[in-house]
């Protein structure tokens, strides 16, 4: 590709595209890693400090002691590898970074949100990319922490009565609260993206978008923040039923509205 661009005297264009790919790769890799690694590291640290009840062990103790050495040694690198894979997939959206960095105002605003048109053309795609990286990282961090607690028998599902240590439940509640804060941000981004809508006769916000989807996104935005607040409070309350019930209520509301 470099030779082809050079023959067309567009070598600088190729360099700019390649550098944008690299920056997007590094940005998304860093975001995902910084969202996942701290959650897994904290879960691993809590697991060492928390007593394990004698119920049903997932892995026999002798085998687990041997596996622990590999988990502690390679967990960091496995998470970094998965983060790099996410960054590599996102690097194809290099144009979002270039548009964000070289935005030019249109001198006009949209009639729905009263924002500069350039925001939707140049900046919104980049913020969407960043949000997707943070949101995916937050979910992976939550899932990774939960899997570590299961591995360390801090969460036990195989016994007659499910068990989860209160401290681990508090940690997972905070991690879930972060996910729902980001979920609320996602609803706001989706509301702005209605200006790209193709549901109507023409592109843009149609009647259904303005009177159904836009109010739904606003309601779900507030609901997601309420769920996040309840889950953050559950860090001290540490009630499994409260956490699951709150998340279930939000899921039911989102199905009802969308």
């Amino acid at each position: 590709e470099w030779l082809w661009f050079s023959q067309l005297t567009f070598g600088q264009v190729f360099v700019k595209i390649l550098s944008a790919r690299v920056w997007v790769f590094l940005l998304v890799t860093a975001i995902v890693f910084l969202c996942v690694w701290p959650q897994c590291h904290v879960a691993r640290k809590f697991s060492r400090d928390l007593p394990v009840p004698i119920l049903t062990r997932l892995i026999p103790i002798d085998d687990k002691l041997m596996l622990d050495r590999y988990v502690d040694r390679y967990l960091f690198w496995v998470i970094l590898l998965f983060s790099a894979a996410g960054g590599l997939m996102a690097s194809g959206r290099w144009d979002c970074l270039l548009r964000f960095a070289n935005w030019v105002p249109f001198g006009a605003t949209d009639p729905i949100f009263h924002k500069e048109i350039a925001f939707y053309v140049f900046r919104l795609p980049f913020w969407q990319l960043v949000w997707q990286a943070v949101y995916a990282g937050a979910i992976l961090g939550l899932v990774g922490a939960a899997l570590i607690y299961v591995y360390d028998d801090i969460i036990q599902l195989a016994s007659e009565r499910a068990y989860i240590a209160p401290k681990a439940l508090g940690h997972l509640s905070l991690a879930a609260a972060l996910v729902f804060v980001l979920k609320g941000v996602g609803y706001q981004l989706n509301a702005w993206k209605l200006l790209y809508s193709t549901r109507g006769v023409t592109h843009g916000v149609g009647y259904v978008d303005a009177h159904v989807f836009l109010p739904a996104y606003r309601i779900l935005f507030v609901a997601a923040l309420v769920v996040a607040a309840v889950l953050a409070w559950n860090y001290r309350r540490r009630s499994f039923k409260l956490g699951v019930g709150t998340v279930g209520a939000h899921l039911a509301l989102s199905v009802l509205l969308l």
Side-chain angles (χ1 to χ4, degrees), residues 231-255:
L231 290 171
W233 176 69
N234 199 45
Y235 174 75
R236 291 188 174 277
R237 181 73 172 78
R238 296 180 179 178
S239 169
F240 181 78
K241 291 182 179 179
L242 176 63
V244 173
T246 305
V247 173
H250 182 273
L251 179 62
L253 180 63
S254 62
V255 171

Side-chain angles (χ1 to χ4, degrees), residues 27 93 96-97 100 119 122-134 185 189 192:
L27 175 65
R93 297 170 65 181
C96 295
L97 178 60
F100 180 83
F119 170 77
F122 296 107
R123 297 202 161 177
L124 183 56
F126 176 76
W127 290 126
Q128 184 77 16
L129 172 64
V130 172
W131 174 81
Q132 288 173 345
V134 178
V185 174
L189 292 174
W192 286 332

Side-chain angles (χ1 to χ4, degrees), residues 2-251:
W2 162 251
L3 293 175
W4 185 79
F5 273 93
S6 298
Q7 288 294 323
L8 297 176
T9 67
F10 290 145
Q12 290 299 319
V13 175
F14 178 81
V15 171
K16 180 167 286 190
I17 293 174
L18 183 60
S19 62
R21 282 181 176 271
V22 171
W23 280 113
V24 170
F25 166 76
L26 293 175
L27 175 65
V28 173
T29 299
I31 289 174
V32 175
F33 180 80
L34 291 176
C35 289
V36 178
W37 167 247
Q39 299 286 13
C40 294
H41 180 69
V42 168
R44 193 77 177 119
K45 184 177 182 300
F46 282 176
S47 296
R48 295 192 189 98
D49 300 336
L50 293 173
V52 178
I54 306 301
L55 296 175
T56 303
R57 288 190 177 273
L58 180 66
I59 302 173
I61 188 64
D62 293 336
D63 295 335
K64 186 176 182 304
L65 291 174
M66 181 182 66
L67 288 173
D68 281 347
R69 293 180 297 174
Y70 295 100
V71 171
D72 293 333
R73 183 181 303 173
Y74 295 113
L75 181 62
F76 176 92
W77 299 107
V78 169
I79 293 173
L80 183 60
L81 181 63
F82 274 97
S83 302
L88 189 62
M89 288 188 291
S91 65
R93 297 170 65 181
W94 52 269
D95 59 306
C96 295
L97 178 60
L98 290 182
R99 277 188 281 169
F100 180 83
N102 299 281
W103 81 286
V104 177
F106 281 68
T109 58
D110 74 276
I112 305 298
F113 301 105
H114 308 291
K115 300 180 76 66
E116 166 66 48
I117 299 297
F119 170 77
Y120 302 99
V121 177
F122 296 107
R123 297 202 161 177
L124 183 56
F126 176 76
W127 290 126
Q128 184 77 16
L129 172 64
V130 172
W131 174 81
Q132 288 173 345
V134 178
Y135 185 62
I139 291 178
L140 289 174
L142 173 62
V143 172
L147 290 176
I148 287 175
Y149 284 132
V150 171
Y151 166 77
D152 286 321
D153 296 312
I154 303 304
I155 297 177
Q156 298 187 13
L157 304 175
S159 58
E160 294 180 0
R161 184 173 181 272
Y163 168 82
I164 177 171
K167 193 172 183 179
L169 179 58
H171 173 213
L172 294 178
S173 294
L174 282 182
L178 174 61
V179 169
F180 275 91
V181 169
L182 294 169
K183 188 72 172 173
V185 174
Y187 286 130
Q188 182 58 58
L189 292 174
N190 285 337
W192 286 332
K193 285 175 62 182
L194 287 175
L195 270 75
Y196 304 148
S197 176
T198 58
R199 274 185 287 264
V201 177
T202 61
H203 287 265
V205 179
Y207 183 86
V208 174
D209 296 315
H211 293 85
V212 176
F213 286 99
L214 184 56
Y217 284 137
R218 287 172 172 168
I219 292 171
L220 290 172
F221 170 78
V222 175
L225 296 185
V226 171
V227 172
V230 172
L231 290 171
W233 176 69
N234 199 45
Y235 174 75
R236 291 188 174 277
R237 181 73 172 78
R238 296 180 179 178
S239 169
F240 181 78
K241 291 182 179 179
L242 176 63
V244 173
T246 305
V247 173
H250 182 273
L251 179 62

